[in-house]
Amino acid sequence: MHYSVHLGIHERPSDPASCAISSAPTPDFGFNAAPTASTAVLTNQTSGLIRFAPDFSTSIGSLENAAFPIVNHGTILVDNGQSNSLNAPLTHTGLLHVAGGSSLFLHNIFMQTAGELRISGGSLSAAPAQTLNFQGGLLRADGFLGADLALTATALEVGASTTAGNLTIFGNVSLLSGASVSFDIAGTVQGGTYDYIAIDGALTLGGTLDLRLSSAFATTIQGSGEFIVLTATSIAGAFINTASGQRIALPDDAGTLLVTFSGTDIKLGSYSAIPEPGAWSAPAGLAALAFTILHRRSRHQS
């Protein structure tokens, strides 16, 4: 059973104290959830769930009046297949999930200090000139993001872990101190079997570049293969763990890939396997034997 909490235009909380949501009930915000100006704070606790109404487009907060702030430690779920708006400022440490076929427009401040923003086939956008600030946690997205992003101490991943995804970002992206971006490689199809990010905006690099190679593809990957994992209008800066023209090691000693930056893309290629320990023994043994023979001949001739 779902309980509805409708904050309508004629409702004004008389007590500015916080409203806390725990495991029950689950608020289903409806079409009339547009409160008047309020100093109250809506806090979604760790076990709480705020779900956008399942049957129609939903707006939480008011554009005409000062919207109440939301502090989310639990889950905010957008899975109604509709276009939705969140007009309240959001401080986020839990899970904000925009599912496939659904969209969410953020009209106010967004700050993530922990937790996860997950887009799985959905769309999330923000007001013009608004930057979504990430200061911790995870941004896992496969779908569409329409906003400027500033990531500090935050991991950016495309789609589910170990599964290739395709992310389009309309906005500028800054990977700042402690941030990372990860790409899964399981084949040669851009956005299909390896992760791909398309940025219609400027990318400023920092943080680290992380790669994951599937065990199945590791047995068939070719040295001639190329993987354009990211494109942008412009690219500046550098990762702290690799630079253009350097090789980056894959996990589990799976080999290395050459990293190449152009002005508008990041390309991986020229795969090289790491030889097994036994592969070093034969050449090393032959070299040692040749050195011994030459040394003995030199002593005999003298």
Side-chain angles (χ1 to χ4, degrees):
M1 177 181 293
H2 287 292
Y3 295 83
S4 294
V5 178
H6 295 300
L7 303 177
I9 60 174
H10 301 297
E11 300 177 37
R12 183 190 301 273
S14 58
D15 184 355
S18 299
C19 171
I21 300 170
S22 55
S23 56
T26 296
D28 246 354
F29 286 95
F31 62 92
N32 63 339
T36 55
S38 172
T39 58
V41 177
L42 176 62
T43 301
N44 190 29
Q45 304 287 15
T46 304
S47 57
L49 171 65
I50 296 175
R51 184 188 180 202
F52 282 70
D55 300 323
F56 41 76
S57 297
T58 300
S59 178
I60 299 179
S62 172
L63 289 176
E64 292 77 21
N65 301 285
F68 59 92
I70 297 177
V71 177
N72 179 50
H73 302 302
T75 298
I76 298 176
L77 179 61
V78 187
D79 66 341
N80 58 5
Q82 304 289 334
S83 298
N84 307 277
S85 297
L86 179 59
N87 304 321
L90 176 62
T91 301
H92 173 60
T93 65
L95 172 64
L96 170 56
H97 184 194
V98 184
S102 303
S103 67
L104 179 64
F105 195 95
L106 301 176
H107 282 280
N108 216 311
I109 296 169
F110 174 89
M111 172 68 73
Q112 175 177 302
T113 57
E116 178 183 349
L117 170 58
R118 182 186 306 166
I119 302 172
S120 51
S123 170
L124 185 141
S125 303
Q130 179 180 339
T131 298
L132 304 185
N133 288 292
F134 295 83
Q135 296 185 1
L138 173 65
L139 169 56
R140 186 191 301 277
D142 180 6
F144 175 85
L145 260 169
D148 290 343
L149 308 178
L151 284 73
T152 302
T154 302
L156 170 58
E157 297 192 1
V158 185
S161 179
T162 71
T163 302
N166 197 328
L167 172 62
T168 300
I169 301 174
F170 277 81
N172 300 319
V173 179
S174 296
L175 296 175
L176 305 172
S177 175
S180 64
V181 58
S182 299
F183 295 97
D184 290 296
I185 301 174
T188 58
V189 180
Q190 186 183 69
T193 55
Y194 73 86
D195 288 337
Y196 173 60
I197 300 176
I199 301 174
D200 188 355
L203 171 64
T204 302
L205 292 176
T208 59
L209 171 64
D210 298 326
L211 304 176
R212 291 187 292 253
L213 182 69
S214 73
S215 56
F217 189 53
T219 62
T220 59
I221 185 173
Q222 302 295 314
S224 58
E226 291 186 347
F227 312 91
I228 299 176
V229 294
L230 184 147
T231 57
T233 304
S234 63
I235 298 176
F239 294 110
I240 63 173
N241 63 329
T242 188
S244 183
Q246 294 183 348
R247 304 193 72 86
I248 185 170
L250 296 164
D252 302 320
D253 294 328
T256 65
L257 285 167
L258 179 67
V259 180
T260 305
F261 301 166
S262 74
T264 58
D265 65 40
I266 297 177
K267 180 172 64 177
L268 309 172
S270 300
Y271 171 77
S272 177
I274 297 177
E276 296 292 334
W280 295 98
S281 59
L286 290 174
L289 177 61
F291 175 81
T292 301
I293 293 173
L294 290 174
H295 182 65
R296 287 179 177 176
R297 286 180 177 176
S298 175
R299 290 183 58 188
H300 179 72
Q301 291 174 356
S302 60

